[in-house]
Amino acid sequence: MKRLSPFMIGFLVVAAVAVVFVGMRVESAILIALFFSTLRQTTPLLFTALGGMFSERSGVTNIALEGMILFGAAAAAITVERLEAPMLAADPLSRAAWIPWAGVVAGVLMGGLVATVYAIAVIRYKAEQIVTGTAINLLAAGAPPVLMQALYNTTTNSKEVENRLPVIGVAGESLSPLVFLAFLLVPLCWWVMFKTPWGLRLRAVGEQPEAADTMGVNVYRLRYTAVILSGLLAGLAGAYLSIGFLNQFVKNMSAGQGFIALAALIFGKWHPLGVLGATLLFGFFRALAIQLGGGEVMPSVVVEALPYVLTILVLAGFIGRSRPPAAIGKPYEK
């Protein structure tokens, strides 16, 4: 029997849920709220998965995406709070449009810095990638609370910021500009990956690094670039969470989204359009968990577990099979 494609399964799941909603005669306002909530929930997953795609296409497994999100989120929130503190002391109603964007830059740079450390460890020193990525994730779970304690005398969260990212009103809902940026990155990443010489070399390095090297491709440089790019995008996802979605950093606020993004990357077969479809599906389930959180339709615990159950199914290989880049996870010896 022919196995259904991942997208067909996703379509059937979403269609079944839609039938349930229609059968319940749910108001259109709730459906609209579900749609926009899906876009918001998809955004950090899409940033992270697109970044992971570049890293893994180059042959480097990036388990550390979860930690990069957390470091980026902390850097963004702390930067905004530190910059606005003197202004708010002088005028509690003061606003500065550039401050949240400075926070975004700080989050992106922090993600890139962590990715650089990871890249040096696994590319130059050929450390085991899974172990190194796990170590960074553990560091990301412990280091920000220590910093929070030093700055704010609490280990759970930073101060709330007033100068958060602006929002754009659409159909009565508000969306961060980063939501639009995330979806605009999909065609850009597709073009870079499949229509440019750099993308061709990157894919060659992930499949046959020895052959690429004999053709004059600098394998190490490409892998460094790809891993750092993944960190920059993961840091952007973190900045979105702390100053675009919320208005503060909260301990472990990524809630496993780095791992969900990796599952979406596998589900999407390391292709930008596949990643878009997979992250939308995961984002839909996260949004659905919020909309049905009250437990009227099914127990709230079951609803909240749906995204993570889907992640397990994808990683276990039950929903289709994906062929990763041939050289993924293998250090290159020149």
Side-chain angles (χ1 to χ4, degrees):
M1 181 179 178
K2 187 177 180 180
R3 179 174 295 184
L4 293 175
S5 70
F7 289 108
M8 181 58 69
I9 293 175
F11 172 78
L12 292 176
V13 171
V14 174
V17 174
V19 169
V20 172
F21 269 86
V22 173
M24 295 170 58
R25 298 179 182 178
V26 174
E27 296 180 3
S28 60
I30 296 179
L31 293 177
I32 293 173
L34 177 62
F35 171 75
F36 282 100
S37 181
T38 298
L39 297 183
R40 296 187 194 97
Q41 295 295 330
T42 299
T43 297
L45 296 175
L46 188 53
F47 278 135
T48 308
L50 288 174
M53 178 189 67
F54 285 105
S55 177
E56 301 211 348
R57 279 283 190 171
S58 75
V60 179
T61 303
N62 198 344
I63 297 294
L65 289 171
E66 176 80 3
M68 295 172 190
I69 294 174
L70 286 172
F71 276 116
I78 292 173
T79 298
V80 172
E81 191 276 328
R82 296 283 99 176
L83 289 175
E84 73 177 12
M87 297 177 56
L88 293 176
D91 179 7
L93 299 179
S94 61
R95 296 288 187 275
W98 62 271
I99 288 182
W101 295 109
V104 170
V105 172
V108 169
L109 293 179
M110 179 57 72
L113 176 62
V114 176
T116 301
V117 173
Y118 176 71
I120 292 172
V122 302
I123 297 173
R124 180 176 179 179
Y125 296 106
K126 299 175 177 57
E128 212 287 324
Q129 296 174 11
I130 303 297
V131 174
T132 307
T134 302
I136 288 180
N137 290 337
L138 293 174
L139 180 63
V146 173
L147 186 58
M148 296 299 110
Q149 179 66 39
L151 294 176
Y152 309 116
N153 199 31
T154 176
T155 60
T156 57
N157 57 270
S158 66
K159 288 183 179 179
E160 294 185 358
V161 299
E162 298 294 333
N163 291 270
R164 58 179 296 181
L165 285 173
V167 295
I168 299 174
V170 181
E173 295 280 342
S174 59
L175 294 174
S176 167
L178 294 185
V179 174
F180 300 94
L181 176 60
F183 287 90
L184 288 174
L185 280 179
V186 174
L188 177 61
C189 290
W190 174 84
W191 179 78
V192 169
M193 185 67 71
F194 296 102
K195 297 297 180 179
T196 65
W198 185 86
L200 176 62
R201 291 193 291 269
L202 182 72
R203 288 181 285 130
V205 165
E207 295 290 341
Q208 293 290 339
E210 294 84 3
D213 193 9
T214 60
M215 297 298 293
V217 176
N218 191 321
V219 175
Y220 295 124
R221 181 187 300 169
L222 267 176
R223 287 190 169 181
Y224 271 114
T225 303
V227 174
I228 293 172
L229 181 57
S230 73
L232 294 174
L233 288 174
L236 183 57
Y240 168 79
L241 288 175
S242 62
I243 61 174
F245 190 71
L246 298 179
N247 62 345
Q248 64 179 158
F249 173 80
V250 179
K251 181 180 178 181
N252 295 328
M253 68 184 308
S254 57
Q257 292 195 57
F259 300 110
I260 294 178
L262 282 174
L265 183 59
I266 297 170
F267 193 22
K269 301 183 187 300
W270 293 270
H271 190 286
L273 299 181
V275 166
L276 173 61
T279 52
L280 277 171
L281 181 61
F282 281 95
F284 171 78
F285 274 106
R286 290 180 65 88
L288 186 64
I290 295 173
Q291 292 294 322
L292 301 181
E296 291 85 358
V297 178
M298 63 180 70
S300 58
V301 174
V302 175
V303 175
E304 292 171 3
L306 286 177
Y308 304 100
V309 171
L310 184 59
T311 302
I312 293 171
L313 292 176
V314 170
L315 294 178
F318 292 120
I319 304 180
R321 291 191 176 275
S322 300
R323 189 189 71 82
I328 193 169
K330 302 175 182 177
Y332 177 63
E333 296 280 357
K334 188 169 182 178

